[in-house]
Amino acid sequence: MTALSEGVGAALDAVRARIDAAAARAGRDPAAVTLVAVSKTHGPEAVRAAYARGQRDFGENYVQELVAKADGLADLVDLRWHFIGHLQTNKCRDVAGRVAMVQTVDSARLARELGRRAVAVGRTVGILVQVNVAREAQKSGCEVGELAAILAEAEATPGVALRGLMTVPPAAGDPAASRPWFEALRALRDEHGGASRLPELSMGMTHDMAEAVAAGATMVRVGTAIFGAR
Ligand SMILES: *Cc1c(COP(=O)(O)O)cnc(C)c1O
């Protein structure tokens, strides 16, 4: 084993253990929390190392980087890519054929374009609607007031399958500061049809993953704790 694969493997095990412990403390089934390993800026060999340790869900933020990695790692046939960065409509074509899920849909227009591109390549792409729960200026994600219309449009759009909600709370040093925003996303899920309509809640990163799991996350997106600093 190389140093890289040992380091990534051990870090991955430690992160999984933290998630499992947080789930147990919250009385939740650890298997109900999917770890998305965020590999942005790290090379394909880091992804291979995590894959070799059993990791299957990976997140990328930049279209060009996603395309290069997805194509270079196409031999890992059961690997699932999640797009978690800001997506422009003119890049939907590049992601539609490669990802299992786009977690950052923040408009009906984006859902429609993604769906159109997915249908063209004979696929269905899972989507999460990203919500700007803290109403931060210049932040990605739809406004709370736009959510109902986007959800309804997404459900009516061929080529995309609505799976839930995603958020990135305001940056804060204290992980506990994220908790109210995670609770807010869960409350929105409950207001808009609950887990039967929106089974996935993607929230929590390296510093606040335990808070997110306690608040009901079904997906946590963790980069630094697995692959190291960027
Ligand atoms: C980079 C990124 C992550 C991972 O962040 P870490 O702090 O490295 O765990 C999660 N979600 C999104 C949307 C990101 O851009």
Side-chain angles (χ1 to χ4, degrees):
M1 271 212 287
T2 66
L4 174 73
S5 67
E6 262 178 62
V8 167
L12 191 56
D13 291 351
V15 167
R16 192 63 243 185
R18 282 169 67 187
I19 293 167
D20 292 358
R25 280 196 299 278
R28 300 185 57 210
D29 176 7
V33 185
T34 299
L35 170 60
V36 177
V38 177
S39 46
K40 64 182 178 208
T41 78
H42 296 281
E45 59 293 342
V47 175
R48 281 193 191 278
Y51 181 93
R53 200 70 153 217
Q55 179 64 28
R56 291 295 179 268
D57 292 275
F58 292 86
E60 286 288 336
N61 285 59
Y62 309 104
V63 172
Q64 253 193 316
E65 192 180 347
L66 167 79
V67 168
K69 264 182 229 171
D71 294 356
L73 297 167
D75 57 307
L76 308 180
V77 288
D78 57 349
L79 185 159
R80 291 177 291 272
W81 292 107
H82 297 248
F83 192 76
I84 63 168
H86 179 67
L87 183 60
Q88 292 171 294
T89 48
N90 64 356
K91 297 286 168 61
C92 284
R93 187 154 73 127
D94 294 324
V95 305
R98 294 180 173 90
V99 302
M101 186 175 273
V102 173
Q103 299 204 358
T104 47
V105 171
D106 60 1
S107 70
R109 181 170 166 258
L110 184 58
R112 280 193 300 268
E113 181 59 13
L114 189 62
R116 190 170 79 84
R117 294 300 186 176
V119 167
V121 291
R123 300 188 74 228
T124 298
V125 173
I127 60 169
L128 304 183
V129 175
Q130 182 179 2
V131 189
N132 180 3
V133 281
R135 298 181 159 86
E136 287 179 277
Q138 333 242 297
K139 182 99 170 222
S140 313
C142 73
E143 297 306 316
V144 169
E146 301 173 310
L147 182 58
I150 297 171
L151 294 175
E153 288 242 27
E155 282 174 324
T157 302
V160 294
L162 176 65
R163 299 286 299 151
L165 305 178
M166 178 272 207
T167 200
V168 181
D174 179 6
S178 298
R179 184 68 177 262
W181 306 118
F182 296 155
E183 303 282 2
L185 193 72
R186 189 174 71 178
L188 279 176
R189 191 266 298 275
D190 294 343
E191 263 170 56
H192 291 271
S196 57
R197 185 188 192 197
L198 303 167
E200 304 288 355
L201 283 181
S202 175
M203 52 193 196
M205 320 197 315
T206 287
H207 76 294
D208 55 12
M209 63 178 126
E211 296 286 342
V213 170
T218 65
M219 291 187 158
V220 291
R221 311 174 307 268
V222 178
T224 307
I226 298 170
F227 297 110
R230 291 184 288 273

